[in-house]
Amino acid sequence: MTKIELRESDMQRARNLNRKNGWGLTADQMKRIISAYEKGNDYKRALIEYRLTDVNYHNEIELLKDGKFNELRELVKEW
């Protein structure tokens, strides 16, 4: 897979969202992110991965990349 170059404005928006949310995500926010990742194109997925990396959600990123959406949804239920 080729590396996607994100626009600086998109990365800044992601950082601002993370800052606004106190560097964390609620279960509802994460559910929306899972759905967006599932349906998204390569750029959208790269942007989601960037945002989750910014808040240190590395395990969640790996589940998304591996296509384990239901497993991640179950994990989010425990939050």
Coordinates of all heavy atoms in Angstrom, one line a residue:
M1 N 0.8 -1.2 0.0 CA 0.0 0.0 0.0 C 0.9 1.2 0.0 O 1.9 1.3 0.7 CB -0.9 0.0 1.2 CG -1.9 1.1 1.2 SD -3.3 0.8 2.4 CE -3.0 2.0 3.6
T2 N 0.6 2.2 -0.8 CA 1.3 3.4 -0.9 C 1.0 4.3 0.3 O -0.1 4.3 0.8 CB 1.1 4.2 -2.2 OG1 -0.3 4.5 -2.3 CG2 1.5 3.3 -3.4
K3 N 2.0 5.1 0.7 CA 1.7 6.1 1.8 C 0.9 7.2 1.3 O 1.1 7.8 0.2 CB 3.1 6.6 2.3 CG 2.9 7.5 3.4 CD 4.2 7.7 4.1 CE 4.2 8.8 5.1 NZ 3.3 8.6 6.3
I4 N -0.1 7.6 2.0 CA -1.0 8.7 1.7 C -0.5 9.9 2.3 O -0.2 9.9 3.5 CB -2.4 8.4 2.2 CG1 -3.0 7.1 1.7 CG2 -3.4 9.6 1.9 CD1 -3.8 7.1 0.5
E5 N -0.3 11.0 1.6 CA 0.1 12.3 2.1 C -1.1 13.1 2.5 O -2.0 13.5 1.6 CB 0.9 13.0 1.0 CG 2.2 12.4 0.7 CD 3.2 12.4 1.9 OE1 3.2 13.4 2.7 OE2 4.0 11.5 2.0
L6 N -1.3 13.3 3.8 CA -2.4 14.1 4.3 C -2.2 15.6 4.1 O -1.0 16.0 4.3 CB -2.7 13.7 5.7 CG -3.1 12.3 6.0 CD1 -3.2 12.1 7.5 CD2 -4.4 12.0 5.4
R7 N -3.2 16.3 3.9 CA -3.1 17.8 3.8 C -2.9 18.3 5.2 O -3.5 17.8 6.2 CB -4.4 18.4 3.2 CG -4.5 18.1 1.7 CD -5.7 18.8 1.1 NE -7.0 18.4 1.7 CZ -7.7 17.4 1.2 NH1 -7.3 16.7 0.1 NH2 -8.9 17.0 1.7
E8 N -2.0 19.3 5.3 CA -1.7 19.9 6.6 C -3.0 20.4 7.3 O -3.2 20.3 8.5 CB -0.7 21.1 6.5 CG -0.3 21.7 7.8 CD 0.3 20.7 8.8 OE1 1.1 19.9 8.4 OE2 0.0 20.9 10.0
S9 N -3.9 21.0 6.5 CA -5.2 21.5 7.1 C -6.0 20.4 7.7 O -6.6 20.6 8.8 CB -6.0 22.3 6.1 OG -6.3 21.4 5.0
D10 N -6.0 19.2 7.1 CA -6.7 18.1 7.6 C -6.1 17.6 8.9 O -6.8 17.2 9.9 CB -6.8 16.9 6.6 CG -7.8 17.3 5.5 OD1 -8.6 18.1 5.6 OD2 -7.6 16.7 4.4
M11 N -4.8 17.5 9.0 CA -4.1 17.1 10.2 C -4.3 18.1 11.3 O -4.5 17.6 12.5 CB -2.6 16.9 9.9 CG -2.3 15.7 9.0 SD -0.5 15.4 8.8 CE 0.1 16.8 7.9
Q12 N -4.3 19.3 11.0 CA -4.5 20.4 12.0 C -5.9 20.2 12.6 O -6.2 20.3 13.8 CB -4.3 21.8 11.5 CG -4.4 22.9 12.5 CD -3.4 22.7 13.6 OE1 -2.2 22.5 13.4 NE2 -3.8 22.8 14.9
R13 N -6.9 20.0 11.7 CA -8.3 19.8 12.1 C -8.4 18.6 13.1 O -9.1 18.7 14.1 CB -9.2 19.6 10.9 CG -10.6 19.5 11.3 CD -11.5 19.5 10.0 NE -12.8 18.9 10.3 CZ -13.1 17.6 10.0 NH1 -12.2 16.8 9.4 NH2 -14.3 17.2 10.3
A14 N -7.7 17.5 12.7 CA -7.7 16.3 13.6 C -7.1 16.6 15.0 O -7.6 16.2 16.0 CB -7.0 15.2 12.9
R15 N -6.0 17.3 15.0 CA -5.3 17.7 16.2 C -6.2 18.6 17.1 O -6.3 18.4 18.3 CB -4.0 18.4 16.0 CG -2.9 17.4 15.4 CD -1.5 18.0 15.4 NE -1.4 19.2 14.5 CZ -1.1 19.2 13.2 NH1 -0.8 18.0 12.7 NH2 -1.0 20.3 12.5
N16 N -6.9 19.5 16.4 CA -7.8 20.4 17.1 C -9.0 19.6 17.7 O -9.4 19.9 18.9 CB -8.3 21.5 16.2 CG -7.3 22.5 15.8 OD1 -6.3 22.6 16.5 ND2 -7.5 23.3 14.8
L17 N -9.5 18.7 17.0 CA -10.6 17.9 17.5 C -10.1 17.1 18.7 O -10.8 17.0 19.8 CB -11.1 16.9 16.5 CG -12.1 17.4 15.4 CD1 -12.3 16.4 14.3 CD2 -13.4 17.8 16.1
N18 N -8.9 16.5 18.7 CA -8.4 15.8 19.8 C -8.2 16.6 21.0 O -8.5 16.2 22.1 CB -7.1 15.1 19.4 CG -7.3 13.9 18.4 OD1 -8.4 13.4 18.3 ND2 -6.3 13.6 17.6
R19 N -7.6 17.8 20.8 CA -7.4 18.8 21.9 C -8.8 19.1 22.5 O -8.9 19.1 23.7 CB -6.7 20.0 21.4 CG -6.3 21.0 22.5 CD -5.5 22.2 21.9 NE -4.4 21.8 21.1 CZ -4.3 22.0 19.8 NH1 -5.2 22.5 19.1 NH2 -3.2 21.6 19.2
K20 N -9.8 19.4 21.7 CA -11.1 19.8 22.2 C -11.7 18.7 23.0 O -12.4 18.9 24.0 CB -12.0 20.1 21.0 CG -13.4 20.4 21.3 CD -14.3 20.6 20.1 CE -15.7 20.7 20.4 NZ -16.6 20.7 19.2
N21 N -11.4 17.4 22.6 CA -12.0 16.3 23.3 C -11.1 15.8 24.5 O -11.3 14.7 25.0 CB -12.3 15.1 22.3 CG -13.4 15.5 21.4 OD1 -14.4 16.0 21.8 ND2 -13.2 15.1 20.1
G22 N -10.1 16.6 24.8 CA -9.3 16.2 26.0 C -8.4 15.0 25.7 O -8.1 14.2 26.6
W23 N -8.0 14.8 24.4 CA -7.1 13.7 24.0 C -7.7 12.3 24.3 O -7.0 11.4 24.6 CB -5.7 13.9 24.6 CG -5.2 15.2 24.3 CD1 -5.1 16.2 25.2 CD2 -4.6 15.7 23.1 NE1 -4.5 17.3 24.6 CE2 -4.3 17.0 23.3 CE3 -4.5 15.1 21.8 CZ2 -3.7 17.8 22.3 CZ3 -3.9 15.9 20.8 CH2 -3.6 17.2 21.1
G24 N -9.0 12.2 24.1 CA -9.7 11.0 24.3 C -11.0 10.9 23.5 O -11.3 12.0 22.9
L25 N -11.6 9.8 23.4 CA -12.8 9.6 22.6 C -13.9 8.9 23.5 O -13.5 8.1 24.3 CB -12.6 8.8 21.4 CG -11.6 9.4 20.4 CD1 -11.2 8.4 19.3 CD2 -12.2 10.6 19.7
T26 N -15.1 9.3 23.3 CA -16.2 8.6 24.0 C -16.5 7.3 23.2 O -16.1 7.2 22.0 CB -17.5 9.5 24.1 OG1 -17.9 9.7 22.7 CG2 -17.2 10.8 24.8
A27 N -17.3 6.5 23.7 CA -17.7 5.2 23.0 C -18.5 5.6 21.8 O -18.3 5.0 20.7 CB -18.5 4.3 23.9
D28 N -19.4 6.6 21.9 CA -20.2 7.0 20.7 C -19.3 7.6 19.6 O -19.5 7.3 18.4 CB -21.2 8.0 21.1 CG -22.4 7.4 21.8 OD1 -22.6 6.2 21.7 OD2 -23.0 8.1 22.6
Q29 N -18.3 8.4 20.0 CA -17.4 8.9 19.0 C -16.6 7.8 18.3 O -16.4 7.8 17.0 CB -16.4 9.9 19.6 CG -17.0 11.2 20.0 CD -16.1 12.0 20.9 OE1 -15.3 11.5 21.7 NE2 -16.1 13.3 20.7
M30 N -16.1 6.8 19.1 CA -15.4 5.7 18.5 C -16.2 4.9 17.6 O -15.8 4.4 16.5 CB -14.8 4.9 19.6 CG -13.8 3.9 19.1 SD -12.3 4.7 18.4 CE -11.6 3.4 17.6
K31 N -17.5 4.7 17.9 CA -18.4 3.9 17.0 C -18.6 4.6 15.7 O -18.6 4.0 14.6 CB -19.8 3.8 17.7 CG -19.8 2.8 18.9 CD -21.1 2.8 19.6 CE -21.0 1.9 20.8 NZ -22.3 2.0 21.6
R32 N -18.7 6.0 15.7 CA -18.8 6.7 14.5 C -17.5 6.6 13.7 O -17.5 6.5 12.4 CB -19.1 8.2 14.7 CG -20.6 8.4 15.2 CD -21.0 9.8 15.2 NE -20.2 10.7 16.0 CZ -20.4 11.0 17.3 NH1 -21.4 10.4 17.9 NH2 -19.6 11.8 17.9
I33 N -16.4 6.6 14.3 CA -15.1 6.5 13.7 C -15.0 5.1 13.0 O -14.5 5.0 11.9 CB -13.9 6.7 14.6 CG1 -13.8 8.3 14.9 CG2 -12.6 6.2 14.1 CD1 -12.9 8.7 16.0
I34 N -15.4 4.1 13.7 CA -15.3 2.7 13.1 C -16.2 2.6 11.9 O -15.7 2.1 10.8 CB -15.8 1.7 14.2 CG1 -14.9 1.6 15.4 CG2 -16.0 0.3 13.5 CD1 -15.5 0.8 16.6
S35 N -17.4 3.2 11.9 CA -18.3 3.2 10.8 C -17.7 4.0 9.6 O -17.7 3.5 8.5 CB -19.6 3.8 11.2 OG -20.5 3.8 10.1
A36 N -17.1 5.1 9.9 CA -16.5 6.0 8.9 C -15.3 5.2 8.2 O -15.1 5.3 7.0 CB -16.0 7.3 9.4
Y37 N -14.5 4.5 9.1 CA -13.4 3.8 8.6 C -13.8 2.7 7.6 O -13.2 2.4 6.6 CB -12.5 3.3 9.7 CG -11.2 2.7 9.3 CD1 -10.1 3.5 9.3 CD2 -11.0 1.4 8.9 CE1 -8.8 3.0 9.0 CE2 -9.8 0.9 8.6 CZ -8.7 1.7 8.6 OH -7.5 1.2 8.2
E38 N -14.8 2.0 8.1 CA -15.4 0.9 7.3 C -15.8 1.3 5.9 O -15.6 0.6 4.9 CB -16.6 0.3 8.1 CG -16.7 -1.2 8.0 CD -17.8 -1.7 9.0 OE1 -18.4 -0.9 9.8 OE2 -18.1 -2.9 8.9
K39 N -16.5 2.5 5.8 CA -17.0 2.9 4.6 C -16.1 3.8 3.8 O -16.4 4.1 2.6 CB -18.3 3.7 4.9 CG -19.4 2.9 5.5 CD -20.6 3.8 6.0 CE -21.5 3.0 6.8 NZ -22.5 3.8 7.4
G40 N -15.0 4.3 4.4 CA -14.2 5.3 3.9 C -13.3 4.9 2.8 O -13.0 3.7 2.6
N41 N -12.8 5.9 2.0 CA -11.8 5.6 1.0 C -10.4 5.7 1.7 O -10.3 5.8 2.9 CB -11.9 6.7 -0.1 CG -11.7 8.1 0.4 OD1 -11.0 8.4 1.4 ND2 -12.3 9.0 -0.2
D42 N -9.3 5.5 0.9 CA -8.0 5.4 1.5 C -7.6 6.7 2.2 O -6.9 6.6 3.3 CB -6.9 5.1 0.4 CG -7.1 3.6 -0.1 OD1 -7.7 2.8 0.6 OD2 -6.5 3.4 -1.2
Y43 N -7.9 7.8 1.7 CA -7.6 9.1 2.3 C -8.3 9.2 3.7 O -7.7 9.6 4.7 CB -7.9 10.3 1.4 CG -7.4 11.6 2.0 CD1 -6.1 12.0 1.7 CD2 -8.2 12.4 2.7 CE1 -5.6 13.1 2.3 CE2 -7.7 13.6 3.3 CZ -6.4 14.0 3.0 OH -5.9 15.1 3.6
K44 N -9.6 8.9 3.7 CA -10.3 9.0 4.9 C -9.8 8.1 6.0 O -9.6 8.4 7.1 CB -11.8 8.7 4.6 CG -12.7 8.8 5.8 CD -13.0 10.2 6.2 CE -14.1 10.2 7.3 NZ -14.4 11.6 7.7
R45 N -9.4 6.9 5.6 CA -8.8 5.9 6.5 C -7.5 6.4 7.0 O -7.2 6.3 8.2 CB -8.7 4.6 5.8 CG -10.0 3.9 5.6 CD -9.8 2.5 4.9 NE -11.1 1.9 4.8 CZ -11.3 0.6 4.6 NH1 -10.2 -0.2 4.4 NH2 -12.5 0.1 4.6
A46 N -6.7 7.0 6.2 CA -5.4 7.5 6.6 C -5.6 8.6 7.6 O -4.9 8.7 8.6 CB -4.6 8.0 5.4
L47 N -6.6 9.5 7.4 CA -6.9 10.6 8.3 C -7.4 10.0 9.7 O -7.0 10.5 10.7 CB -7.9 11.5 7.7 CG -8.2 12.8 8.4 CD1 -6.9 13.6 8.6 CD2 -9.2 13.6 7.6
I48 N -8.2 9.0 9.6 CA -8.7 8.4 10.9 C -7.5 7.8 11.6 O -7.3 7.9 12.9 CB -9.8 7.4 10.6 CG1 -11.0 8.1 10.2 CG2 -10.0 6.5 11.8 CD1 -12.1 7.2 9.6
E49 N -6.6 7.1 10.9 CA -5.4 6.5 11.6 C -4.6 7.6 12.2 O -4.0 7.4 13.3 CB -4.6 5.7 10.5 CG -5.3 4.4 10.1 CD -4.7 3.7 8.9 OE1 -3.5 4.0 8.6 OE2 -5.4 2.9 8.3
Y50 N -4.4 8.7 11.5 CA -3.6 9.8 12.0 C -4.3 10.4 13.3 O -3.6 10.6 14.3 CB -3.6 11.0 11.0 CG -2.8 12.2 11.5 CD1 -1.5 12.3 11.4 CD2 -3.5 13.2 12.1 CE1 -0.8 13.3 11.9 CE2 -2.8 14.3 12.6 CZ -1.5 14.4 12.5 OH -0.8 15.5 13.0
R51 N -5.6 10.5 13.3 CA -6.2 11.1 14.5 C -6.1 10.1 15.7 O -5.8 10.5 16.8 CB -7.7 11.3 14.2 CG -8.4 11.9 15.4 CD -9.8 12.4 15.1 NE -10.4 12.9 16.3 CZ -11.6 13.0 16.6 NH1 -12.5 12.6 15.7 NH2 -12.1 13.5 17.7
L52 N -6.3 8.8 15.4 CA -6.2 7.8 16.5 C -4.7 7.7 17.0 O -4.5 7.5 18.2 CB -6.7 6.5 16.1 CG -8.2 6.4 15.8 CD1 -8.6 5.0 15.3 CD2 -9.0 6.8 17.0
T53 N -3.8 7.8 16.1 CA -2.4 7.8 16.5 C -2.1 9.0 17.4 O -1.4 8.9 18.4 CB -1.4 7.9 15.3 OG1 -1.7 6.7 14.5 CG2 0.0 7.9 15.7
D54 N -2.7 10.2 17.1 CA -2.4 11.4 17.9 C -2.9 11.2 19.3 O -2.4 11.9 20.2 CB -3.2 12.6 17.2 CG -2.8 13.9 17.7 OD1 -1.5 14.2 17.9 OD2 -3.7 14.7 18.0
V55 N -3.9 10.4 19.6 CA -4.4 10.2 20.9 C -3.9 8.8 21.5 O -4.5 8.3 22.5 CB -6.0 10.3 21.0 CG1 -6.4 11.7 20.8 CG2 -6.7 9.4 20.1
N56 N -3.0 8.2 20.8 CA -2.3 7.0 21.3 C -3.3 5.8 21.3 O -3.2 5.0 22.3 CB -1.7 7.2 22.6 CG -0.5 8.1 22.5 OD1 0.3 8.0 21.6 ND2 -0.4 9.0 23.5
Y57 N -4.2 5.7 20.4 CA -5.1 4.5 20.3 C -4.5 3.5 19.3 O -5.2 3.1 18.3 CB -6.5 5.0 19.8 CG -7.3 5.6 20.9 CD1 -6.8 6.5 21.8 CD2 -8.7 5.3 21.0 CE1 -7.6 7.1 22.8 CE2 -9.5 5.9 22.0 CZ -8.9 6.8 22.9 OH -9.7 7.3 23.8
H58 N -3.3 3.0 19.6 CA -2.6 2.2 18.6 C -3.3 0.8 18.5 O -3.3 0.3 17.4 CB -1.1 2.0 19.0 CG -0.4 3.4 19.1 ND1 -0.1 4.1 18.0 CD2 -0.1 4.1 20.2 CE1 0.5 5.2 18.3 NE2 0.5 5.3 19.7
N59 N -3.7 0.2 19.6 CA -4.4 -1.1 19.5 C -5.7 -1.0 18.6 O -6.0 -1.9 17.8 CB -4.7 -1.6 20.9 CG -3.5 -1.9 21.7 OD1 -2.5 -2.3 21.1 ND2 -3.6 -1.8 23.0
E60 N -6.4 0.1 18.8 CA -7.6 0.3 18.0 C -7.3 0.4 16.5 O -8.1 -0.1 15.7 CB -8.4 1.5 18.5 CG -9.0 1.3 19.9 CD -8.0 1.5 21.1 OE1 -6.8 1.7 20.8 OE2 -8.4 1.3 22.2
I61 N -6.2 1.1 16.2 CA -5.8 1.3 14.8 C -5.5 -0.1 14.2 O -6.0 -0.4 13.1 CB -4.6 2.2 14.7 CG1 -4.9 3.6 15.1 CG2 -4.0 2.1 13.2 CD1 -3.7 4.5 15.2
E62 N -4.8 -0.9 14.9 CA -4.5 -2.3 14.4 C -5.7 -3.1 14.1 O -5.8 -3.8 13.1 CB -3.5 -3.0 15.3 CG -2.1 -2.4 15.3 CD -1.5 -2.2 13.9 OE1 -1.5 -3.2 13.2 OE2 -1.0 -1.1 13.7
L63 N -6.7 -3.0 15.0 CA -8.0 -3.7 14.8 C -8.7 -3.2 13.5 O -9.2 -4.0 12.7 CB -8.9 -3.6 16.0 CG -8.4 -4.4 17.3 CD1 -9.3 -4.0 18.4 CD2 -8.5 -5.9 17.0
L64 N -8.7 -1.9 13.3 CA -9.3 -1.3 12.1 C -8.6 -1.8 10.9 O -9.2 -2.2 9.9 CB -9.2 0.2 12.2 CG -10.2 0.9 13.1 CD1 -9.9 2.4 13.2 CD2 -11.6 0.6 12.8
K65 N -7.2 -1.7 10.9 CA -6.4 -2.1 9.7 C -6.6 -3.6 9.4 O -6.6 -4.0 8.2 CB -4.9 -1.9 10.0 CG -4.6 -0.4 9.9 CD -3.1 -0.3 10.1 CE -2.5 1.1 9.9 NZ -1.1 1.1 10.1
D66 N -6.8 -4.4 10.4 CA -7.0 -5.8 10.2 C -8.5 -6.2 9.9 O -8.8 -7.4 9.7 CB -6.6 -6.6 11.5 CG -5.1 -6.6 11.8 OD1 -4.4 -6.3 10.8 OD2 -4.7 -6.9 12.9
G67 N -9.3 -5.2 9.8 CA -10.7 -5.4 9.4 C -11.5 -6.0 10.6 O -12.6 -6.6 10.3
K68 N -11.1 -5.9 11.8 CA -11.8 -6.5 12.9 C -12.7 -5.5 13.5 O -12.7 -5.2 14.7 CB -10.8 -7.0 13.9 CG -9.9 -8.1 13.4 CD -8.9 -8.6 14.4 CE -8.0 -9.8 13.8 NZ -7.0 -10.2 14.7
F69 N -13.7 -5.1 12.7 CA -14.6 -4.0 13.2 C -15.5 -4.5 14.3 O -15.7 -3.7 15.2 CB -15.4 -3.6 12.0 CG -14.6 -3.1 10.8 CD1 -14.7 -3.7 9.6 CD2 -13.7 -2.1 10.9 CE1 -13.9 -3.3 8.5 CE2 -12.9 -1.7 9.8 CZ -13.0 -2.3 8.6
N70 N -16.0 -5.7 14.2 CA -16.9 -6.2 15.2 C -16.2 -6.4 16.6 O -16.7 -6.1 17.6 CB -17.6 -7.5 14.8 CG -18.6 -7.2 13.7 OD1 -19.2 -6.2 13.6 ND2 -18.8 -8.2 12.9
E71 N -14.9 -6.9 16.5 CA -14.1 -7.0 17.7 C -13.9 -5.7 18.4 O -14.0 -5.5 19.6 CB -12.8 -7.7 17.3 CG -11.9 -8.0 18.5 CD -10.7 -8.8 18.1 OE1 -10.7 -9.5 17.1 OE2 -9.7 -8.6 18.8
L72 N -13.6 -4.7 17.6 CA -13.4 -3.3 18.1 C -14.7 -2.8 18.7 O -14.7 -2.1 19.7 CB -12.9 -2.4 17.0 CG -12.5 -1.0 17.5 CD1 -11.6 -1.0 18.7 CD2 -11.9 -0.2 16.3
R73 N -15.8 -3.0 18.0 CA -17.1 -2.6 18.5 C -17.4 -3.2 19.9 O -17.9 -2.5 20.8 CB -18.3 -2.9 17.6 CG -18.3 -2.0 16.4 CD -19.6 -2.3 15.5 NE -19.6 -1.4 14.4 CZ -19.1 -1.8 13.2 NH1 -18.6 -3.0 13.0 NH2 -19.2 -0.9 12.2
E74 N -17.1 -4.5 20.1 CA -17.2 -5.2 21.4 C -16.3 -4.5 22.4 O -16.7 -4.3 23.6 CB -17.0 -6.7 21.2 CG -18.0 -7.4 20.5 CD -19.4 -7.3 21.1 OE1 -19.5 -7.5 22.3 OE2 -20.4 -7.1 20.3
L75 N -15.1 -4.2 22.0 CA -14.2 -3.6 23.0 C -14.7 -2.2 23.4 O -14.6 -1.9 24.6 CB -12.8 -3.4 22.3 CG -11.7 -2.7 23.1 CD1 -11.3 -3.6 24.3 CD2 -10.5 -2.5 22.2
V76 N -15.3 -1.5 22.5 CA -15.8 -0.1 22.8 C -17.0 -0.2 23.7 O -17.2 0.7 24.6 CB -16.1 0.6 21.5 CG1 -16.9 1.9 21.7 CG2 -14.9 0.9 20.7
K77 N -17.7 -1.3 23.7 CA -18.9 -1.4 24.6 C -18.4 -1.4 26.1 O -19.2 -1.1 26.9 CB -19.7 -2.7 24.3 CG -20.5 -2.6 23.1 CD -21.2 -4.0 22.9 CE -22.0 -4.0 21.6 NZ -22.7 -5.2 21.3
E78 N -17.2 -1.8 26.3 CA -16.7 -1.9 27.6 C -16.2 -0.6 28.2 O -15.8 -0.5 29.4 CB -15.5 -2.9 27.7 CG -15.9 -4.3 27.3 CD -14.8 -5.3 27.2 OE1 -13.6 -4.9 27.6 OE2 -15.0 -6.4 26.7
W79 N -16.1 0.5 27.3 CA -15.6 1.8 27.8 C -16.6 2.4 28.7 O -17.6 2.6 28.8 CB -15.4 2.7 26.6 CG -14.2 2.3 25.7 CD1 -13.5 1.1 25.9 CD2 -13.7 3.0 24.6 NE1 -12.5 1.1 24.9 CE2 -12.6 2.2 24.1 CE3 -14.0 4.1 24.0 CZ2 -11.9 2.6 23.0 CZ3 -13.3 4.5 22.9 CH2 -12.2 3.8 22.4

